[in-house]
Amino acid sequence: MILHDITREKMIERMKTEFVSLSAHQLRTPLSAIKWTLRMLLDGDLGEITKEQKEYIGKTYESNERMIDLINDLLNVTRIEEGRYLYEPTLTDFQAIVQFVINSFKEEIKKKRIKFEFKKTEEKLPEVKVDVEKMRLAVQNLLNNAISYTPSGGEVTISLKYDKDKIEVAVKDTGIGIPQDQQERVFSKFFRATNAIRKETKGTGLGLYIAKNIIEAHGGKIWFESKEDKGSTFYFTLPVEKRFEEFLKRL
């Protein structure tokens, strides 16, 4: 038997997490102020601007939005690592969660001319006990990836399935896929596939890591199938509380 004292490593790891959390909190306030100032300029609240000025300010606004997204992702990661991520799990209609996320992407789907389909179950789904805000974030991260990595004119499908004691969700796309030799790292922090980097798609490399932790914290499982240049399908399951399953059987 070999014993190794990891006290120092754990202390350094905790200090890193605290530093990231503190830095992210300090950065979020000025970035939010910049966001609203730029928004006021773009909306003409501070006076008229030329087309060229609007174009430059628009690009700055988008860059600032990406920074805010990164900060939010970093804060989510630190909360996960500190073990204080799920707050108020409640019994919820999961289909409503998925629909809420889909509605937030309608403009982007339309802009990219993506053929989108939401396949619902014929029977009413039993309720699941989840932290609604966090579960929306998990679905949002998966759908955002599908849309971001699918070229204009491609297809994205979300489907729901109820199987005995669990709900299964599948997010399928016809995008760039994930290279076979990189698939083991997909759920790692800051992972971005080489083909995604080459195409200069935006992303922090934290979305799937966060989604995985949210789903597993709810007692679920997540996995995927992917072929480069063919697309990807991400699946995850969530357990259903037994009493609701029994209630449905009596209907």
Side-chain angles (χ1 to χ4, degrees), residues 9 41 46 101 156 187:
E9 286 87 343
L41 287 167
L46 302 177
V101 175
V156 173
F187 295 110

Side-chain angles (χ1 to χ4, degrees), residues 23-84:
S23 301
H25 275 293
Q26 292 298 319
L27 285 168
R28 189 157 65 169
T29 300
L31 285 171
S32 296
I34 292 168
K35 171 182 177 175
W36 294 117
T37 302
L38 292 171
R39 188 73 262 170
M40 289 172 71
L41 287 167
L42 288 169
D43 292 343
D45 295 338
L46 302 177
E48 290 187 14
I49 56 176
T50 66
K51 185 178 178 181
E52 186 179 10
Q53 288 171 330
K54 192 169 186 177
E55 185 179 335
Y56 279 109
I57 294 171
K59 289 178 180 177
T60 306
Y61 182 86
E62 289 175 5
S63 296
N64 193 68
E65 282 287 272
R66 285 198 290 273
M67 285 295 296
I68 291 173
D69 288 342
L70 174 60
I71 294 302
N72 289 334
D73 282 348
L74 287 172
L75 286 171
N76 283 325
V77 168
T78 57
R79 291 179 189 124
I80 287 169
E81 293 176 345
E82 290 170 359
R84 55 183 183 88

Side-chain angles (χ1 to χ4, degrees), residues 72-73 76-77 79-81 84-87 89 94 97 129-142 187 206-222 236-239:
N72 289 334
D73 282 348
N76 283 325
V77 168
R79 291 179 189 124
I80 287 169
E81 293 176 345
R84 55 183 183 88
Y85 202 50
L86 301 185
Y87 293 107
F94 190 75
I97 290 177
K129 193 169 187 179
V130 297
D131 181 323
V132 175
E133 181 186 345
K134 300 303 184 299
M135 193 50 64
R136 283 176 180 172
L137 178 59
V139 176
Q140 175 187 309
N141 286 348
L142 293 175
F187 295 110
L206 292 170
L208 291 176
Y209 172 81
I210 292 170
K212 179 178 185 290
N213 277 274
I214 291 172
I215 291 161
E216 291 182 348
H218 285 89
K221 295 179 180 178
I222 183 169
F236 71 88
T237 58
L238 290 173

